[in-house]
Amino acid sequence: MGWGTAPTALTSLVAFAFLVAAVGDASMASPEAFAEQFQAGLDRSSVLRNAAGFLVAGWETYVYANGLAVAFDDRSGAPWGVAVLVAYGSWLLSLI
């Protein structure tokens, strides 16, 4: 199951890139101006961040399902159900 969490590093890198872009676009004239522009920059990138998270959850689903199928020698669809629940459940929780 450890390899299933490796794709989250990609999500973290994407989030960090958007954070850097939001800070770079914000004005340092006053704390209020910085906060408003920083928030606007993060809001603009929310759709792309969520889409990246959705794609990474798909990758995690694949890794989890195949890992569970091999570990428990299960050829039914049960590992896929568990994998979808874990990967997309955590993605949904990240939206909060």
Side-chain angles (χ1 to χ4, degrees):
M1 291 292 271
W3 284 108
T5 58
T8 59
L10 179 63
T11 307
S12 299
L13 288 174
V14 168
F16 182 72
F18 285 122
L19 179 66
V20 168
V23 168
D25 291 342
S27 169
M28 298 291 184
S30 71
E32 294 81 15
F34 174 80
E36 287 175 17
Q37 292 176 356
F38 178 72
Q39 186 63 42
L42 287 180
D43 290 344
R44 281 192 305 266
S45 67
S46 67
V47 171
L48 293 174
R49 284 183 290 129
N50 292 337
F54 184 83
L55 293 174
V56 167
W59 182 11
E60 288 174 332
T61 298
Y62 176 79
V63 172
Y64 287 153
N66 288 313
L68 288 170
V70 168
F72 294 104
D73 195 27
D74 187 357
R75 301 291 176 229
S76 69
W80 284 95
V82 172
V84 167
L85 181 68
V86 170
Y88 284 101
S90 64
W91 173 73
L92 287 173
L93 287 174
S94 74
L95 297 178
I96 297 175

